[in-house]
Every structure is written in C-alpha cells, then in structure tokens.
PDB file of all heavy atoms in Angstrom:
ATOM      1  N   GLY A   1     -24.215  72.060  26.193  1.00 98.00           N
ATOM      2  CA  GLY A   1     -23.618  71.300  25.107  1.00 98.00           C
ATOM      3  C   GLY A   1     -23.819  69.803  25.399  1.00 98.00           C
ATOM      4  O   GLY A   1     -23.263  69.238  26.382  1.00 98.00           O
ATOM      5  N   MET A   2     -24.505  69.209  24.512  1.00 98.00           N
ATOM      6  CA  MET A   2     -24.930  67.775  24.720  1.00 98.00           C
ATOM      7  C   MET A   2     -23.969  66.751  23.992  1.00 98.00           C
ATOM      8  O   MET A   2     -23.843  67.010  22.788  1.00 98.00           O
ATOM      9  CB  MET A   2     -26.374  67.480  24.231  1.00 98.00           C
ATOM     10  CG  MET A   2     -27.373  68.443  24.844  1.00 98.00           C
ATOM     11  SD  MET A   2     -27.687  68.090  26.557  1.00 98.00           S
ATOM     12  CE  MET A   2     -28.371  66.432  26.490  1.00 98.00           C
ATOM     13  N   ILE A   3     -23.436  65.878  24.673  1.00 97.00           N
ATOM     14  CA  ILE A   3     -22.730  64.718  24.069  1.00 97.00           C
ATOM     15  C   ILE A   3     -23.841  63.869  23.373  1.00 97.00           C
ATOM     16  O   ILE A   3     -24.698  63.256  24.188  1.00 97.00           O
ATOM     17  CB  ILE A   3     -21.862  63.996  25.100  1.00 97.00           C
ATOM     18  CG1 ILE A   3     -20.867  64.854  25.746  1.00 97.00           C
ATOM     19  CG2 ILE A   3     -21.191  62.820  24.301  1.00 97.00           C
ATOM     20  CD1 ILE A   3     -20.084  64.275  26.776  1.00 97.00           C
ATOM     21  N   TYR A   4     -23.819  63.695  22.100  1.00 95.00           N
ATOM     22  CA  TYR A   4     -24.965  63.171  21.447  1.00 95.00           C
ATOM     23  C   TYR A   4     -25.002  61.682  21.479  1.00 95.00           C
ATOM     24  O   TYR A   4     -23.999  60.967  21.060  1.00 95.00           O
ATOM     25  CB  TYR A   4     -24.864  63.631  19.967  1.00 95.00           C
ATOM     26  CG  TYR A   4     -25.994  63.096  19.041  1.00 95.00           C
ATOM     27  CD1 TYR A   4     -27.322  63.247  19.300  1.00 95.00           C
ATOM     28  CD2 TYR A   4     -25.576  62.381  17.882  1.00 95.00           C
ATOM     29  CE1 TYR A   4     -28.237  62.773  18.451  1.00 95.00           C
ATOM     30  CE2 TYR A   4     -26.547  61.908  17.063  1.00 95.00           C
ATOM     31  CZ  TYR A   4     -27.877  62.099  17.322  1.00 95.00           C
ATOM     32  OH  TYR A   4     -28.868  61.555  16.485  1.00 95.00           O
ATOM     33  N   TYR A   5     -26.071  61.064  21.912  1.00 95.00           N
ATOM     34  CA  TYR A   5     -26.630  59.685  21.673  1.00 95.00           C
ATOM     35  C   TYR A   5     -25.520  58.651  21.988  1.00 95.00           C
ATOM     36  O   TYR A   5     -24.954  58.063  21.080  1.00 95.00           O
ATOM     37  CB  TYR A   5     -27.010  59.599  20.196  1.00 95.00           C
ATOM     38  CG  TYR A   5     -27.835  58.450  19.807  1.00 95.00           C
ATOM     39  CD1 TYR A   5     -28.391  58.383  18.448  1.00 95.00           C
ATOM     40  CD2 TYR A   5     -28.015  57.304  20.643  1.00 95.00           C
ATOM     41  CE1 TYR A   5     -29.069  57.253  18.074  1.00 95.00           C
ATOM     42  CE2 TYR A   5     -28.798  56.206  20.235  1.00 95.00           C
ATOM     43  CZ  TYR A   5     -29.298  56.203  18.927  1.00 95.00           C
ATOM     44  OH  TYR A   5     -30.031  55.041  18.545  1.00 95.00           O
ATOM     45  N   VAL A   6     -25.321  58.407  23.280  1.00 96.00           N
ATOM     46  CA  VAL A   6     -24.367  57.388  23.696  1.00 96.00           C
ATOM     47  C   VAL A   6     -25.192  56.280  24.379  1.00 96.00           C
ATOM     48  O   VAL A   6     -25.668  56.452  25.517  1.00 96.00           O
ATOM     49  CB  VAL A   6     -23.329  58.023  24.651  1.00 96.00           C
ATOM     50  CG1 VAL A   6     -22.279  56.947  24.961  1.00 96.00           C
ATOM     51  CG2 VAL A   6     -22.757  59.281  24.077  1.00 96.00           C
ATOM     52  N   ASP A   7     -25.269  55.206  23.691  1.00 95.00           N
ATOM     53  CA  ASP A   7     -26.056  54.053  24.272  1.00 95.00           C
ATOM     54  C   ASP A   7     -25.257  52.821  24.625  1.00 95.00           C
ATOM     55  O   ASP A   7     -25.833  51.931  25.207  1.00 95.00           O
ATOM     56  CB  ASP A   7     -27.111  53.605  23.242  1.00 95.00           C
ATOM     57  CG  ASP A   7     -28.458  54.558  23.365  1.00 95.00           C
ATOM     58  OD1 ASP A   7     -28.379  55.420  24.160  1.00 95.00           O
ATOM     59  OD2 ASP A   7     -29.443  54.257  22.694  1.00 95.00           O
ATOM     60  N   LYS A   8     -24.001  52.772  24.235  1.00 95.00           N
ATOM     61  CA  LYS A   8     -23.159  51.623  24.586  1.00 95.00           C
ATOM     62  C   LYS A   8     -22.041  51.931  25.553  1.00 95.00           C
ATOM     63  O   LYS A   8     -21.431  52.993  25.405  1.00 95.00           O
ATOM     64  CB  LYS A   8     -22.562  51.070  23.321  1.00 95.00           C
ATOM     65  CG  LYS A   8     -23.527  50.531  22.298  1.00 95.00           C
ATOM     66  CD  LYS A   8     -22.923  49.883  21.088  1.00 95.00           C
ATOM     67  CE  LYS A   8     -23.858  49.343  20.082  1.00 95.00           C
ATOM     68  NZ  LYS A   8     -23.181  48.668  18.885  1.00 95.00           N
ATOM     69  N   PRO A   9     -21.809  51.156  26.596  1.00 96.00           N
ATOM     70  CA  PRO A   9     -20.876  51.451  27.526  1.00 96.00           C
ATOM     71  C   PRO A   9     -19.513  51.654  26.945  1.00 96.00           C
ATOM     72  O   PRO A   9     -18.732  52.572  27.354  1.00 96.00           O
ATOM     73  CB  PRO A   9     -20.806  50.199  28.456  1.00 96.00           C
ATOM     74  CG  PRO A   9     -22.217  49.661  28.364  1.00 96.00           C
ATOM     75  CD  PRO A   9     -22.652  49.978  26.963  1.00 96.00           C
ATOM     76  N   GLU A  10     -19.086  50.784  25.859  1.00 96.00           N
ATOM     77  CA  GLU A  10     -17.830  50.997  25.276  1.00 96.00           C
ATOM     78  C   GLU A  10     -17.739  52.347  24.580  1.00 96.00           C
ATOM     79  O   GLU A  10     -16.591  53.003  24.417  1.00 96.00           O
ATOM     80  CB  GLU A  10     -17.555  49.874  24.323  1.00 96.00           C
ATOM     81  CG  GLU A  10     -18.549  49.668  23.304  1.00 96.00           C
ATOM     82  CD  GLU A  10     -19.566  48.608  23.666  1.00 96.00           C
ATOM     83  OE1 GLU A  10     -19.922  48.519  24.801  1.00 96.00           O
ATOM     84  OE2 GLU A  10     -20.136  47.948  22.738  1.00 96.00           O
ATOM     85  N   GLU A  11     -18.815  52.831  24.052  1.00 95.00           N
ATOM     86  CA  GLU A  11     -18.793  54.149  23.381  1.00 95.00           C
ATOM     87  C   GLU A  11     -18.601  55.263  24.368  1.00 95.00           C
ATOM     88  O   GLU A  11     -17.794  56.262  24.101  1.00 95.00           O
ATOM     89  CB  GLU A  11     -20.176  54.370  22.685  1.00 95.00           C
ATOM     90  CG  GLU A  11     -20.084  55.637  21.758  1.00 95.00           C
ATOM     91  CD  GLU A  11     -21.364  55.767  20.880  1.00 95.00           C
ATOM     92  OE1 GLU A  11     -22.231  54.994  21.038  1.00 95.00           O
ATOM     93  OE2 GLU A  11     -21.299  56.683  20.020  1.00 95.00           O
ATOM     94  N   TRP A  12     -19.104  55.176  25.593  1.00 97.00           N
ATOM     95  CA  TRP A  12     -18.871  56.143  26.656  1.00 97.00           C
ATOM     96  C   TRP A  12     -17.385  56.111  27.027  1.00 97.00           C
ATOM     97  O   TRP A  12     -16.691  57.187  27.206  1.00 97.00           O
ATOM     98  CB  TRP A  12     -19.712  55.887  27.895  1.00 97.00           C
ATOM     99  CG  TRP A  12     -19.250  56.699  29.078  1.00 97.00           C
ATOM    100  CD1 TRP A  12     -18.585  56.340  30.148  1.00 97.00           C
ATOM    101  CD2 TRP A  12     -19.408  58.126  29.214  1.00 97.00           C
ATOM    102  NE1 TRP A  12     -18.338  57.343  31.063  1.00 97.00           N
ATOM    103  CE2 TRP A  12     -18.727  58.512  30.437  1.00 97.00           C
ATOM    104  CE3 TRP A  12     -19.920  59.129  28.454  1.00 97.00           C
ATOM    105  CZ2 TRP A  12     -18.762  59.807  30.920  1.00 97.00           C
ATOM    106  CZ3 TRP A  12     -19.852  60.428  28.924  1.00 97.00           C
ATOM    107  CH2 TRP A  12     -19.276  60.740  30.163  1.00 97.00           C
ATOM    108  N   ASP A  13     -16.810  54.892  27.124  1.00 96.00           N
ATOM    109  CA  ASP A  13     -15.405  54.791  27.379  1.00 96.00           C
ATOM    110  C   ASP A  13     -14.570  55.447  26.359  1.00 96.00           C
ATOM    111  O   ASP A  13     -13.526  56.137  26.637  1.00 96.00           O
ATOM    112  CB  ASP A  13     -14.961  53.329  27.511  1.00 96.00           C
ATOM    113  CG  ASP A  13     -15.492  52.681  28.769  1.00 96.00           C
ATOM    114  OD1 ASP A  13     -15.835  53.359  29.741  1.00 96.00           O
ATOM    115  OD2 ASP A  13     -15.729  51.392  28.765  1.00 96.00           O
ATOM    116  N   ASN A  14     -14.981  55.356  25.004  1.00 95.00           N
ATOM    117  CA  ASN A  14     -14.208  55.951  23.939  1.00 95.00           C
ATOM    118  C   ASN A  14     -14.254  57.385  24.086  1.00 95.00           C
ATOM    119  O   ASN A  14     -13.253  58.131  23.810  1.00 95.00           O
ATOM    120  CB  ASN A  14     -14.731  55.460  22.656  1.00 95.00           C
ATOM    121  CG  ASN A  14     -14.339  54.030  22.306  1.00 95.00           C
ATOM    122  OD1 ASN A  14     -13.333  53.531  22.821  1.00 95.00           O
ATOM    123  ND2 ASN A  14     -15.099  53.368  21.493  1.00 95.00           N
ATOM    124  N   ILE A  15     -15.453  57.981  24.429  1.00 96.00           N
ATOM    125  CA  ILE A  15     -15.605  59.379  24.451  1.00 96.00           C
ATOM    126  C   ILE A  15     -14.683  59.940  25.643  1.00 96.00           C
ATOM    127  O   ILE A  15     -14.137  61.012  25.404  1.00 96.00           O
ATOM    128  CB  ILE A  15     -17.108  59.731  24.816  1.00 96.00           C
ATOM    129  CG1 ILE A  15     -17.826  59.642  23.506  1.00 96.00           C
ATOM    130  CG2 ILE A  15     -17.291  61.164  25.411  1.00 96.00           C
ATOM    131  CD1 ILE A  15     -19.334  59.637  23.625  1.00 96.00           C
ATOM    132  N   VAL A  16     -14.585  59.278  26.771  1.00 96.00           N
ATOM    133  CA  VAL A  16     -13.757  59.720  27.837  1.00 96.00           C
ATOM    134  C   VAL A  16     -12.300  59.677  27.486  1.00 96.00           C
ATOM    135  O   VAL A  16     -11.550  60.521  27.768  1.00 96.00           O
ATOM    136  CB  VAL A  16     -14.041  58.727  29.110  1.00 96.00           C
ATOM    137  CG1 VAL A  16     -13.029  59.042  30.164  1.00 96.00           C
ATOM    138  CG2 VAL A  16     -15.456  59.001  29.557  1.00 96.00           C
ATOM    139  N   ASN A  17     -11.892  58.625  26.741  1.00 94.00           N
ATOM    140  CA  ASN A  17     -10.489  58.369  26.595  1.00 94.00           C
ATOM    141  C   ASN A  17      -9.875  58.896  25.185  1.00 94.00           C
ATOM    142  O   ASN A  17      -8.637  58.939  25.034  1.00 94.00           O
ATOM    143  CB  ASN A  17     -10.199  56.815  26.653  1.00 94.00           C
ATOM    144  CG  ASN A  17     -10.546  56.200  27.979  1.00 94.00           C
ATOM    145  OD1 ASN A  17     -10.269  56.917  29.068  1.00 94.00           O
ATOM    146  ND2 ASN A  17     -11.164  55.145  28.092  1.00 94.00           N
ATOM    147  N   ASN A  18     -10.752  59.211  24.278  1.00 92.00           N
ATOM    148  CA  ASN A  18     -10.239  59.486  22.847  1.00 92.00           C
ATOM    149  C   ASN A  18     -10.306  60.897  22.522  1.00 92.00           C
ATOM    150  O   ASN A  18     -10.294  61.258  21.315  1.00 92.00           O
ATOM    151  CB  ASN A  18     -10.960  58.607  21.926  1.00 92.00           C
ATOM    152  CG  ASN A  18     -10.579  57.170  22.051  1.00 92.00           C
ATOM    153  OD1 ASN A  18      -9.609  56.761  22.718  1.00 92.00           O
ATOM    154  ND2 ASN A  18     -11.344  56.300  21.356  1.00 92.00           N
ATOM    155  N   GLY A  19     -10.473  61.832  23.477  1.00 95.00           N
ATOM    156  CA  GLY A  19     -10.341  63.259  23.153  1.00 95.00           C
ATOM    157  C   GLY A  19     -11.737  63.888  23.023  1.00 95.00           C
ATOM    158  O   GLY A  19     -11.745  65.182  23.133  1.00 95.00           O
ATOM    159  N   PHE A  20     -12.833  63.272  22.850  1.00 97.00           N
ATOM    160  CA  PHE A  20     -14.120  63.863  22.645  1.00 97.00           C
ATOM    161  C   PHE A  20     -14.539  64.637  23.901  1.00 97.00           C
ATOM    162  O   PHE A  20     -14.880  65.815  23.762  1.00 97.00           O
ATOM    163  CB  PHE A  20     -15.088  62.803  22.362  1.00 97.00           C
ATOM    164  CG  PHE A  20     -16.438  63.303  21.825  1.00 97.00           C
ATOM    165  CD1 PHE A  20     -16.741  63.150  20.433  1.00 97.00           C
ATOM    166  CD2 PHE A  20     -17.388  63.930  22.663  1.00 97.00           C
ATOM    167  CE1 PHE A  20     -17.948  63.635  19.904  1.00 97.00           C
ATOM    168  CE2 PHE A  20     -18.594  64.429  22.133  1.00 97.00           C
ATOM    169  CZ  PHE A  20     -18.892  64.305  20.801  1.00 97.00           C
ATOM    170  N   LEU A  21     -14.441  64.066  25.042  1.00 97.00           N
ATOM    171  CA  LEU A  21     -14.814  64.645  26.260  1.00 97.00           C
ATOM    172  C   LEU A  21     -13.839  65.862  26.618  1.00 97.00           C
ATOM    173  O   LEU A  21     -14.322  66.932  27.063  1.00 97.00           O
ATOM    174  CB  LEU A  21     -14.832  63.668  27.467  1.00 97.00           C
ATOM    175  CG  LEU A  21     -15.230  64.286  28.859  1.00 97.00           C
ATOM    176  CD1 LEU A  21     -16.697  64.827  28.814  1.00 97.00           C
ATOM    177  CD2 LEU A  21     -15.154  63.215  29.868  1.00 97.00           C
ATOM    178  N   ASP A  22     -12.633  65.679  26.279  1.00 97.00           N
ATOM    179  CA  ASP A  22     -11.661  66.841  26.395  1.00 97.00           C
ATOM    180  C   ASP A  22     -12.138  67.958  25.656  1.00 97.00           C
ATOM    181  O   ASP A  22     -12.006  69.110  26.067  1.00 97.00           O
ATOM    182  CB  ASP A  22     -10.244  66.340  26.073  1.00 97.00           C
ATOM    183  CG  ASP A  22      -9.549  65.404  27.046  1.00 97.00           C
ATOM    184  OD1 ASP A  22     -10.065  65.403  28.278  1.00 97.00           O
ATOM    185  OD2 ASP A  22      -8.718  64.614  26.669  1.00 97.00           O
ATOM    186  N   TYR A  23     -12.543  67.791  24.414  1.00 98.00           N
ATOM    187  CA  TYR A  23     -12.954  68.807  23.589  1.00 98.00           C
ATOM    188  C   TYR A  23     -14.230  69.598  24.105  1.00 98.00           C
ATOM    189  O   TYR A  23     -14.371  70.704  24.153  1.00 98.00           O
ATOM    190  CB  TYR A  23     -13.357  68.303  22.127  1.00 98.00           C
ATOM    191  CG  TYR A  23     -14.054  69.229  21.242  1.00 98.00           C
ATOM    192  CD1 TYR A  23     -13.528  70.548  20.897  1.00 98.00           C
ATOM    193  CD2 TYR A  23     -15.312  68.899  20.742  1.00 98.00           C
ATOM    194  CE1 TYR A  23     -14.292  71.330  20.129  1.00 98.00           C
ATOM    195  CE2 TYR A  23     -16.048  69.821  19.944  1.00 98.00           C
ATOM    196  CZ  TYR A  23     -15.527  71.058  19.596  1.00 98.00           C
ATOM    197  OH  TYR A  23     -16.150  71.947  18.798  1.00 98.00           O
ATOM    198  N   VAL A  24     -15.183  68.733  24.635  1.00 98.00           N
ATOM    199  CA  VAL A  24     -16.366  69.297  25.203  1.00 98.00           C
ATOM    200  C   VAL A  24     -15.987  70.224  26.462  1.00 98.00           C
ATOM    201  O   VAL A  24     -16.499  71.347  26.708  1.00 98.00           O
ATOM    202  CB  VAL A  24     -17.335  68.170  25.632  1.00 98.00           C
ATOM    203  CG1 VAL A  24     -18.533  68.806  26.347  1.00 98.00           C
ATOM    204  CG2 VAL A  24     -17.758  67.488  24.353  1.00 98.00           C
ATOM    205  N   LYS A  25     -15.067  69.681  27.307  1.00 98.00           N
ATOM    206  CA  LYS A  25     -14.656  70.377  28.495  1.00 98.00           C
ATOM    207  C   LYS A  25     -13.891  71.681  28.090  1.00 98.00           C
ATOM    208  O   LYS A  25     -14.034  72.692  28.770  1.00 98.00           O
ATOM    209  CB  LYS A  25     -13.792  69.530  29.375  1.00 98.00           C
ATOM    210  CG  LYS A  25     -14.535  68.350  29.965  1.00 98.00           C
ATOM    211  CD  LYS A  25     -13.644  67.289  30.570  1.00 98.00           C
ATOM    212  CE  LYS A  25     -12.860  67.754  31.766  1.00 98.00           C
ATOM    213  NZ  LYS A  25     -12.082  66.662  32.388  1.00 98.00           N
ATOM    214  N   GLU A  26     -13.211  71.670  26.994  1.00 98.00           N
ATOM    215  CA  GLU A  26     -12.551  72.840  26.549  1.00 98.00           C
ATOM    216  C   GLU A  26     -13.534  73.925  26.111  1.00 98.00           C
ATOM    217  O   GLU A  26     -13.336  75.121  26.381  1.00 98.00           O
ATOM    218  CB  GLU A  26     -11.666  72.501  25.325  1.00 98.00           C
ATOM    219  CG  GLU A  26     -10.841  73.576  24.640  1.00 98.00           C
ATOM    220  CD  GLU A  26     -10.064  73.124  23.525  1.00 98.00           C
ATOM    221  OE1 GLU A  26      -9.462  72.022  23.572  1.00 98.00           O
ATOM    222  OE2 GLU A  26      -9.959  73.875  22.449  1.00 98.00           O
ATOM    223  N   LEU A  27     -14.546  73.479  25.446  1.00 98.00           N
ATOM    224  CA  LEU A  27     -15.683  74.511  25.104  1.00 98.00           C
ATOM    225  C   LEU A  27     -16.303  75.029  26.254  1.00 98.00           C
ATOM    226  O   LEU A  27     -16.611  76.234  26.257  1.00 98.00           O
ATOM    227  CB  LEU A  27     -16.718  73.674  24.276  1.00 98.00           C
ATOM    228  CG  LEU A  27     -16.391  73.203  22.841  1.00 98.00           C
ATOM    229  CD1 LEU A  27     -17.528  72.451  22.197  1.00 98.00           C
ATOM    230  CD2 LEU A  27     -16.040  74.397  21.964  1.00 98.00           C
ATOM    231  N   LYS A  28     -16.507  74.347  27.371  1.00 98.00           N
ATOM    232  CA  LYS A  28     -17.066  74.867  28.614  1.00 98.00           C
ATOM    233  C   LYS A  28     -16.036  75.832  29.182  1.00 98.00           C
ATOM    234  O   LYS A  28     -16.467  76.904  29.609  1.00 98.00           O
ATOM    235  CB  LYS A  28     -17.337  73.785  29.557  1.00 98.00           C
ATOM    236  CG  LYS A  28     -18.037  74.290  30.814  1.00 98.00           C
ATOM    237  CD  LYS A  28     -18.268  73.222  31.847  1.00 98.00           C
ATOM    238  CE  LYS A  28     -18.894  73.683  33.070  1.00 98.00           C
ATOM    239  NZ  LYS A  28     -19.237  72.744  34.109  1.00 98.00           N
ATOM    240  N   ALA A  29     -14.803  75.543  29.233  1.00 98.00           N
ATOM    241  CA  ALA A  29     -13.795  76.475  29.745  1.00 98.00           C
ATOM    242  C   ALA A  29     -13.810  77.752  28.995  1.00 98.00           C
ATOM    243  O   ALA A  29     -13.548  78.848  29.660  1.00 98.00           O
ATOM    244  CB  ALA A  29     -12.355  75.809  29.793  1.00 98.00           C
ATOM    245  N   GLN A  30     -14.046  77.660  27.728  1.00 97.00           N
ATOM    246  CA  GLN A  30     -14.054  78.859  26.900  1.00 97.00           C
ATOM    247  C   GLN A  30     -15.340  79.704  26.997  1.00 97.00           C
ATOM    248  O   GLN A  30     -15.389  80.890  26.607  1.00 97.00           O
ATOM    249  CB  GLN A  30     -13.890  78.565  25.385  1.00 97.00           C
ATOM    250  CG  GLN A  30     -12.536  77.904  25.126  1.00 97.00           C
ATOM    251  CD  GLN A  30     -12.580  77.332  23.693  1.00 97.00           C
ATOM    252  OE1 GLN A  30     -13.667  77.227  23.029  1.00 97.00           O
ATOM    253  NE2 GLN A  30     -11.416  76.831  23.211  1.00 97.00           N
ATOM    254  N   GLY A  31     -16.390  79.078  27.631  1.00 97.00           N
ATOM    255  CA  GLY A  31     -17.711  79.700  27.768  1.00 97.00           C
ATOM    256  C   GLY A  31     -18.509  79.532  26.514  1.00 97.00           C
ATOM    257  O   GLY A  31     -19.646  80.059  26.459  1.00 97.00           O
ATOM    258  N   THR A  32     -18.034  78.741  25.493  1.00 98.00           N
ATOM    259  CA  THR A  32     -18.921  78.453  24.341  1.00 98.00           C
ATOM    260  C   THR A  32     -20.033  77.612  24.660  1.00 98.00           C
ATOM    261  O   THR A  32     -21.088  77.653  24.004  1.00 98.00           O
ATOM    262  CB  THR A  32     -17.989  77.843  23.230  1.00 98.00           C
ATOM    263  OG1 THR A  32     -16.763  78.601  23.044  1.00 98.00           O
ATOM    264  CG2 THR A  32     -18.697  77.673  21.975  1.00 98.00           C
ATOM    265  N   ILE A  33     -19.890  76.727  25.636  1.00 98.00           N
ATOM    266  CA  ILE A  33     -21.067  76.032  26.223  1.00 98.00           C
ATOM    267  C   ILE A  33     -20.921  76.290  27.678  1.00 98.00           C
ATOM    268  O   ILE A  33     -19.888  76.431  28.224  1.00 98.00           O
ATOM    269  CB  ILE A  33     -21.037  74.535  25.930  1.00 98.00           C
ATOM    270  CG1 ILE A  33     -19.849  73.755  26.569  1.00 98.00           C
ATOM    271  CG2 ILE A  33     -21.192  74.204  24.540  1.00 98.00           C
ATOM    272  CD1 ILE A  33     -19.941  72.271  26.450  1.00 98.00           C
ATOM    273  N   ARG A  34     -22.204  76.378  28.392  1.00 98.00           N
ATOM    274  CA  ARG A  34     -22.120  76.807  29.771  1.00 98.00           C
ATOM    275  C   ARG A  34     -22.217  75.580  30.672  1.00 98.00           C
ATOM    276  O   ARG A  34     -21.790  75.537  31.826  1.00 98.00           O
ATOM    277  CB  ARG A  34     -23.315  77.682  30.015  1.00 98.00           C
ATOM    278  CG  ARG A  34     -23.270  78.903  29.185  1.00 98.00           C
ATOM    279  CD  ARG A  34     -22.138  79.864  29.370  1.00 98.00           C
ATOM    280  NE  ARG A  34     -21.921  80.916  28.387  1.00 98.00           N
ATOM    281  CZ  ARG A  34     -22.534  81.983  28.293  1.00 98.00           C
ATOM    282  NH1 ARG A  34     -23.589  82.314  29.177  1.00 98.00           N
ATOM    283  NH2 ARG A  34     -22.282  82.878  27.351  1.00 98.00           N
ATOM    284  N   HIS A  35     -22.836  74.410  30.154  1.00 98.00           N
ATOM    285  CA  HIS A  35     -22.909  73.252  30.891  1.00 98.00           C
ATOM    286  C   HIS A  35     -22.801  72.099  29.989  1.00 98.00           C
ATOM    287  O   HIS A  35     -23.134  72.151  28.781  1.00 98.00           O
ATOM    288  CB  HIS A  35     -24.316  73.237  31.581  1.00 98.00           C
ATOM    289  CG  HIS A  35     -24.507  74.359  32.637  1.00 98.00           C
ATOM    290  ND1 HIS A  35     -23.892  74.469  33.847  1.00 98.00           N
ATOM    291  CD2 HIS A  35     -25.232  75.555  32.414  1.00 98.00           C
ATOM    292  CE1 HIS A  35     -24.270  75.583  34.407  1.00 98.00           C
ATOM    293  NE2 HIS A  35     -25.054  76.223  33.608  1.00 98.00           N
ATOM    294  N   ILE A  36     -22.403  70.871  30.521  1.00 98.00           N
ATOM    295  CA  ILE A  36     -22.249  69.662  29.815  1.00 98.00           C
ATOM    296  C   ILE A  36     -23.398  68.614  30.094  1.00 98.00           C
ATOM    297  O   ILE A  36     -23.711  68.355  31.286  1.00 98.00           O
ATOM    298  CB  ILE A  36     -20.892  69.006  30.106  1.00 98.00           C
ATOM    299  CG1 ILE A  36     -19.741  69.987  29.815  1.00 98.00           C
ATOM    300  CG2 ILE A  36     -20.767  67.675  29.362  1.00 98.00           C
ATOM    301  CD1 ILE A  36     -18.371  69.395  30.187  1.00 98.00           C
ATOM    302  N   GLY A  37     -24.035  68.211  29.001  1.00 98.00           N
ATOM    303  CA  GLY A  37     -25.041  67.122  29.072  1.00 98.00           C
ATOM    304  C   GLY A  37     -24.699  66.057  28.137  1.00 98.00           C
ATOM    305  O   GLY A  37     -23.784  66.045  27.465  1.00 98.00           O
ATOM    306  N   MET A  38     -25.610  65.024  28.194  1.00 98.00           N
ATOM    307  CA  MET A  38     -25.533  63.830  27.338  1.00 98.00           C
ATOM    308  C   MET A  38     -26.854  63.316  27.089  1.00 98.00           C
ATOM    309  O   MET A  38     -27.717  63.274  27.948  1.00 98.00           O
ATOM    310  CB  MET A  38     -24.567  62.816  27.953  1.00 98.00           C
ATOM    311  CG  MET A  38     -24.209  61.652  27.091  1.00 98.00           C
ATOM    312  SD  MET A  38     -23.253  60.374  27.815  1.00 98.00           S
ATOM    313  CE  MET A  38     -24.644  59.495  28.679  1.00 98.00           C
ATOM    314  N   SER A  39     -27.092  62.745  25.940  1.00 97.00           N
ATOM    315  CA  SER A  39     -28.319  62.029  25.610  1.00 97.00           C
ATOM    316  C   SER A  39     -28.017  60.578  25.525  1.00 97.00           C
ATOM    317  O   SER A  39     -27.085  60.051  24.953  1.00 97.00           O
ATOM    318  CB  SER A  39     -28.888  62.587  24.329  1.00 97.00           C
ATOM    319  OG  SER A  39     -28.088  62.294  23.151  1.00 97.00           O
ATOM    320  N   THR A  40     -28.964  59.721  26.186  1.00 96.00           N
ATOM    321  CA  THR A  40     -28.802  58.305  26.049  1.00 96.00           C
ATOM    322  C   THR A  40     -30.249  57.698  26.379  1.00 96.00           C
ATOM    323  O   THR A  40     -31.012  58.287  26.887  1.00 96.00           O
ATOM    324  CB  THR A  40     -27.814  57.817  27.194  1.00 96.00           C
ATOM    325  OG1 THR A  40     -27.737  56.374  27.022  1.00 96.00           O
ATOM    326  CG2 THR A  40     -28.334  58.157  28.524  1.00 96.00           C
ATOM    327  N   HIS A  41     -30.354  56.402  25.865  1.00 95.00           N
ATOM    328  CA  HIS A  41     -31.565  55.666  26.113  1.00 95.00           C
ATOM    329  C   HIS A  41     -31.246  54.485  27.113  1.00 95.00           C
ATOM    330  O   HIS A  41     -32.175  53.702  27.471  1.00 95.00           O
ATOM    331  CB  HIS A  41     -32.145  55.095  24.847  1.00 95.00           C
ATOM    332  CG  HIS A  41     -32.378  56.097  23.784  1.00 95.00           C
ATOM    333  ND1 HIS A  41     -31.431  56.347  22.813  1.00 95.00           N
ATOM    334  CD2 HIS A  41     -33.457  56.854  23.471  1.00 95.00           C
ATOM    335  CE1 HIS A  41     -31.843  57.334  22.036  1.00 95.00           C
ATOM    336  NE2 HIS A  41     -33.106  57.564  22.335  1.00 95.00           N
ATOM    337  N   ASN A  42     -30.028  54.363  27.471  1.00 96.00           N
ATOM    338  CA  ASN A  42     -29.502  53.235  28.256  1.00 96.00           C
ATOM    339  C   ASN A  42     -29.274  53.606  29.693  1.00 96.00           C
ATOM    340  O   ASN A  42     -28.225  54.451  29.897  1.00 96.00           O
ATOM    341  CB  ASN A  42     -28.355  52.619  27.561  1.00 96.00           C
ATOM    342  CG  ASN A  42     -27.919  51.292  28.181  1.00 96.00           C
ATOM    343  OD1 ASN A  42     -28.210  50.996  29.313  1.00 96.00           O
ATOM    344  ND2 ASN A  42     -27.153  50.487  27.400  1.00 96.00           N
TER     345      ASN A  42
END
C-alpha cells in the first residue's frame, strides 16, 4: 500500500500527524495491505 506522491517535507509531517499514516497502518494490521510504501521525487 503506497502513500501517494509526497514531495514536500511539511506534507510528510501532515501525513504522520493528521491520521493518514494511522489509517495506512490500520490497513496493514488488518492484512488489507501487506507492506507500506511511499512514492516521492524528493
């Protein structure tokens, strides 16, 4: 399960702090995604 297109440091901070990453980790705990990835150009 890929966290889509994060190119700004502040956007990564938002993902960590605003529930997005928690949702991704929940999907992994459920087995809906097996591993966590991310796409970036930076």
